[in-house]
Amino acid sequence: MTVADAPGWLVPAFTRSVVAVGATVTMPQIHAAADRLLERWSVPHRQFHTVRHLLHVLARVDELDQGTHDQELVRLGAWYHGAVFDVQILTGSTRGCEDEATSAAFAVTELLALGVPEARACRVGDLVAVLVAHDPDPTDTDATVLCDADLGVLASEPQKYRTYLRNVRDEYADVPDVEFLRARRATITGLLARKAIYHSPCARPWEEAARENLTAELQRVTRELASITPEEP
């Protein structure tokens, strides 16, 4: 999905959120900021972390809104969490296409430029930064909702989950199969080892489906690694 395909309500929704948290600049300036964000979400080499993913995360934030303290800050966290796109391999794991740490700093800079009070702009940055590990403080309801919304795709019905996997693989098309599979195995194993994948009360019903999808994927990844590298433990 590109900027041209984005639904007409998306920029007004961003505008409402920014105004609600205290922006002081003109409407055209806010609209321009929204357009720039959508362009970032629409770069051609994104296959999963696209405007469609942004829409899905925003929808899940709304679905989980009973668990939020300040929903507009959480919505802005969703908008900015994939603002910076960086595909690279780090030791033993795959760095997410969304560079959350850099996106967090970018969010603060952009929101300050829109006249958002510093404390609120920094709060959005803090929410985005939590997504680096998706391990929020359970007492921080806004952070738990944003993390759960971002990981909601893991609880998709099997066909949609397979589409998600294809799109993620396409984003890493230049990464050799062995490296990608090892990184994916590490990610899945880490998620399954958690006491809970989801933290907010309204997202807890997603737990079983997510674990079923991840377990099935782990079995497939293990088989594929064994076929490529028989010595793989």
Side-chain angles (χ1 to χ4, degrees), residues 147-197:
C147 283
D148 289 352
D150 193 37
L151 293 179
V153 66
L154 301 179
S156 300
E157 61 185 55
Q159 184 174 352
K160 290 182 179 179
Y161 190 79
R162 287 192 291 271
T163 299
Y164 150 69
L165 294 179
R166 285 196 300 271
N167 290 338
V168 169
R169 185 65 185 103
D170 288 344
E171 282 189 335
Y172 293 101
D174 294 335
V175 177
D177 286 341
V178 170
E179 291 182 47
F180 179 82
L181 290 169
R182 286 173 176 165
R184 192 67 191 171
R185 180 178 60 184
T187 297
I188 300 167
T189 302
L191 286 167
L192 289 174
R194 295 184 177 188
K195 182 178 179 180
I197 296 170

Side-chain angles (χ1 to χ4, degrees), residues 191-218:
L191 286 167
L192 289 174
R194 295 184 177 188
K195 182 178 179 180
I197 296 170
Y198 301 108
H199 302 274
S200 56
C202 292
R204 285 174 189 152
W206 302 348
E207 189 80 20
E208 183 178 358
R211 288 187 177 275
E212 288 177 356
N213 284 332
L214 289 166
T215 299
E217 184 188 356
L218 181 59

Side-chain angles (χ1 to χ4, degrees), residues 1-219:
M1 181 180 290
T2 65
V3 174
D5 300 321
W9 57 264
L10 201 49
V11 169
F14 175 82
T15 302
R16 284 193 299 273
S17 293
V18 172
V19 170
V21 302
T24 59
V25 298
T26 65
M27 288 297 112
Q29 288 174 295
I30 296 175
H31 294 164
D35 288 340
R36 290 194 300 271
L37 262 179
L38 289 174
E39 288 173 0
R40 284 176 168 269
W41 281 100
S42 303
V43 292
H45 49 286
R46 293 196 187 210
Q47 297 297 320
F48 171 69
H49 296 92
T50 63
V51 174
R52 183 174 288 104
H53 173 62
L54 169 61
L55 290 170
H56 289 166
V57 175
L58 287 169
R60 293 186 196 109
V61 167
D62 287 345
E63 186 176 348
L64 304 174
D65 67 347
Q66 292 181 354
T68 57
H69 172 69
D70 193 326
Q71 191 177 31
E72 298 303 345
L73 290 178
V74 181
R75 286 190 178 116
L76 289 172
W79 270 91
Y80 281 100
H81 84 281
V84 179
F85 184 87
D86 187 16
V87 178
Q88 57 182 306
I89 294 295
L90 298 184
T91 303
S93 65
T94 303
R95 177 70 174 145
C97 296
E98 299 159 309
D99 185 342
E100 294 92 346
T102 308
S103 292
F106 176 80
V108 175
T109 300
E110 287 286 294
L111 291 171
L112 289 174
L114 295 175
V116 174
E118 183 176 0
R120 310 210 85 191
C122 289
R123 174 60 175 157
V124 174
D126 289 343
L127 289 172
V128 174
V130 171
L131 299 185
V132 171
H134 287 92
D135 188 20
D137 179 341
T139 66
D140 186 343
T141 57
D142 289 346
T144 60
V145 165
L146 184 58
C147 283
D148 289 352
D150 193 37
L151 293 179
V153 66
L154 301 179
S156 300
E157 61 185 55
Q159 184 174 352
K160 290 182 179 179
Y161 190 79
R162 287 192 291 271
T163 299
Y164 150 69
L165 294 179
R166 285 196 300 271
N167 290 338
V168 169
R169 185 65 185 103
D170 288 344
E171 282 189 335
Y172 293 101
D174 294 335
V175 177
D177 286 341
V178 170
E179 291 182 47
F180 179 82
L181 290 169
R182 286 173 176 165
R184 192 67 191 171
R185 180 178 60 184
T187 297
I188 300 167
T189 302
L191 286 167
L192 289 174
R194 295 184 177 188
K195 182 178 179 180
I197 296 170
Y198 301 108
H199 302 274
S200 56
C202 292
R204 285 174 189 152
W206 302 348
E207 189 80 20
E208 183 178 358
R211 288 187 177 275
E212 288 177 356
N213 284 332
L214 289 166
T215 299
E217 184 188 356
L218 181 59
Q219 293 171 348

